[in-house]
Every structure is written in structure tokens, then in C-alpha cells.
Amino acid sequence: MTDHAGSAPVMDAVAPLMPNTWLRFDAISRLLPDGVTDVLEIGCGQGAVGARLALRYDDYLGIEPDETSYSVASGRVAAVGRGEVKNVMAKELGDRRFDLVCAFEVLEHLEDDRAALAEFAAKVKPGGWLLLSVPAYQSRFGPWDELVGHFRRYDPQGLTELLHDAGFEDVEVLHCGAGLGFVLEGVRNAIGRRRLARSAADTSIEERTAGSGRLFQPSGRLRGAAIRLGTDPFRLLQRAFPDKGTGLVVRARLGDGAGADA
């Protein structure tokens, strides 16, 4: 996504992104579909990506079950001047369906991912879009995954098959994190190893999941700008290696008539 004129410095202050999130958002921006009016983001965390989606689309709704993260996300989206955030679960939205449903770094936290994808599909209009991001490759599952409450990581082929089973078509997969992402993952695993050795292993997976969206979140315009500018060359680098990285960003279209009975 290209920021609206002059909006990048504003977003640095309102909703700064972590370095790894900038890498992910670069891939997300390349898969955001045109012709979309209403957008649902499931598990919007603290709303840093949601604020940017609200800036792009006419009707943005983010939902976040963690009350602390919801409070931050609500303020960030309100600062954009459009969109809304609710402290609810997807099933509480009733029968409402959307042109685009997003779930970034969510699916890996859910024990029954097939049921979750069916629930996501039920929120997509026939012919509409699902946009996901997940950590890549089960072989890379490490201490950080355990610390933040991941059940698994995903291989591209396996995730594509899950999406097909849920009624989605035209699946497109991009990797993110080539280069810098591998360094960041190594740092996160070192942190995860230390924290698990102390006391984090005694917390439930639900508690770890709830807290995952709050870890190491940046604040302030200067820090936000520094991270954005510092990750610029690495975002360009990862575009040269679209089949390598630590994360996957996936777009899929819901087949006509699919998802209605999910």
C-alpha cells in the first residue's frame, strides 16, 4: 500500500510498526485487493496495521478480544479519523460479511485452524477476499513460538491446501523476512529461550497468546520513523527473494456460494 500523501510521518507517531511488522506489511501491501469497500480485521492487536487499513478503505472494522490491546487499537484507529475497533469475537458479529477479511499472525494461535478458517470464510462475501499472515515453516518452530502461544508454523503447500478445503480459490503466497527477518527471528528465539527458562513456561497458552501482541511494541514518532527508514532497504531486499523468508502472507478468494454454511 502506498501511503496517502504526507501520511507516513503521521502514522509513525500514531501507529509505529516493529521492524518485523514492516517486513510483513510490505508483503501485505502488495496483496491488498482493489475494489474493496468494507474490511474486517480479526485479531487486530494494538491496531498498528489496522490504522493503515482504515486509512485506505472506506469501512474498516477491527476486532480484538484482549482488552489491553483493544484499548490501544481503538485509540489508534480513532486518531486516523475513520474505522472502528470492537472488543468482541468474530462470532459476535452475527451474519455480517465483508469484501475483505484479514487475520495477521492469528491462525497459528488457534488450536483448530480448520475450524478457524471456516469461521473466517463465513465472514467473507462470496467472491470476496481473505488475507492472512503466519510464521513460515514448521521446521523453524522455536522458543519464541512457544513463548507467544503458537501451536504451529505453516508450509506454503499445507496452508494452500487448508484454504482450498475451506472453499477458497486463487491462492497467492508471498514470503517475507528474507535477510533481516532471519536475524530478528534469531534474536526473538534467544529472548524466548531465556524467558521460558525463567517463568514464562508456567503461563497458559491463552495467556501467552493474549500478551503476544503487546511484546516490544514501539511508541513515539521518532522511534517509529527510525524503524521505518531503517527497514527500507530490507523491504526492498526481500522483494528480490519472494520464495524465502520467516513468514508467509497469503491472499485467497472465496468461491461463490462458499462459506455460507460455515
Side-chain angles (χ1 to χ4, degrees), residues 97-98 117-129 162-169 252-262:
R97 303 176 80 174
F98 298 80
L117 285 172
E119 185 176 351
F120 296 170
K123 296 303 175 191
V124 182
K125 295 176 183 177
W129 298 94
L162 283 173
L163 287 165
H164 284 158
D165 290 346
F168 290 95
E169 306 168 348
R253 186 178 64 82
L254 188 67
D256 291 339
D261 298 323

Side-chain angles (χ1 to χ4, degrees), residues 17 28 120 123 127 159 167 182 236 262:
L17 297 178
I28 290 169
F120 296 170
K123 296 303 175 191
L159 183 55
F182 291 105
L236 291 174

Side-chain angles (χ1 to χ4, degrees), residues 39-47 49-50 53 60-66 84-86 88-93 96 98 100-110 115-124 129-133 168:
V39 178
L40 171 66
E41 184 183 2
I42 297 173
C44 67
Q46 294 195 337
V49 172
L53 294 176
Y60 167 84
L61 173 61
I63 59 173
E64 173 53 51
D66 178 66
E84 181 183 11
V85 181
K86 293 184 177 181
V88 299
M89 302 292 286
K91 62 185 177 183
E92 297 175 63
L93 298 178
R96 185 178 177 187
F98 298 80
L100 170 64
V101 171
C102 304
F104 305 127
E105 308 303 289
V106 170
L107 194 63
E108 66 274 13
H109 290 278
L110 304 176
L117 285 172
E119 185 176 351
F120 296 170
K123 296 303 175 191
V124 182
W129 298 94
L130 177 69
L131 187 57
L132 301 173
S133 72
F168 290 95

Side-chain angles (χ1 to χ4, degrees), residues 139-150 153 185-197 200-201 208 215:
S139 62
R140 301 191 67 84
F141 194 96
W144 180 261
D145 296 287
E146 185 178 353
L147 177 70
V148 297
H150 292 174
R153 297 171 72 114
E185 184 174 87
V187 172
R188 291 196 304 271
N189 277 331
I191 293 170
R193 193 174 295 111
R194 288 197 300 270
R195 292 196 173 191
L196 289 169
R208 292 184 228 167
L215 289 171

